[in-house]
Amino acid sequence: MAAPTTTAPGRFTFLHLATALQTLALLFQAVTAGLLLASPHGEVLHSVGARVMYGASMVYVLAAVLAWRPGGGSPRPVLYATGFLALASAQVVLGIAHLPTLHVPLGVVMFGLSLLALTPASRVGAGGRPR
């Protein structure tokens, strides 16, 4: 039986780094979405950023599974990461279909959710204990 593992306060794990990478990729997407209006290179940058963001979402799922399995902790981060990958998939489909009325608001929601996953408060469960 595996013993539960915890991280020392102030230490970053692979899961934290994956969440930060995903959040930065989403921020890059927001910036390049603005460049679509102002620069001929905006479309290329936004397209490359989409691939990076999707890959970062996959890394987030991998990190969540790796953080969950060894310690036998809560599967909640895996559910969050899987849900986020589903949102990223929908975002890609909406972008390819050129539906900005759905693509842009979903991008804003995804950035907000990624920021919530990144904050230390979201990693604290009931009673002030880390999840």
Side-chain angles (χ1 to χ4, degrees):
M1 178 172 359
T5 58
T6 58
T7 346
R11 295 200 55 203
F12 290 105
T13 63
F14 181 46
L15 182 59
H16 300 145
L17 292 174
T19 308
L21 173 68
Q22 174 181 273
T23 305
L24 286 174
L26 284 164
L27 179 62
F28 180 79
Q29 284 302 92
V31 170
T32 59
L35 285 176
L36 281 170
L37 303 173
S39 168
H41 304 294
E43 185 176 355
V44 172
L45 288 173
H46 196 68
S47 178
V48 169
R51 288 167 176 79
V52 171
M53 185 277 304
Y54 197 75
S57 296
M58 287 188 229
V59 170
Y60 181 37
V61 171
L62 175 67
V65 169
L66 291 176
W68 167 58
R69 292 301 293 167
S74 170
R76 186 174 291 160
V78 176
L79 296 174
Y80 290 161
T82 305
F84 206 91
L85 184 60
L87 289 176
S89 298
Q91 186 71 329
V92 169
V93 169
L94 292 171
I96 290 172
H98 299 288
L99 295 171
T101 55
L102 299 173
H103 182 76
V104 172
L106 181 58
V108 172
V109 167
M110 288 173 63
F111 183 67
L113 290 173
S114 193
L115 278 176
L116 283 175
L118 188 61
T119 59
S122 68
R123 292 189 295 268
V124 176
R129 293 180 305 243
R131 290 185 198 172

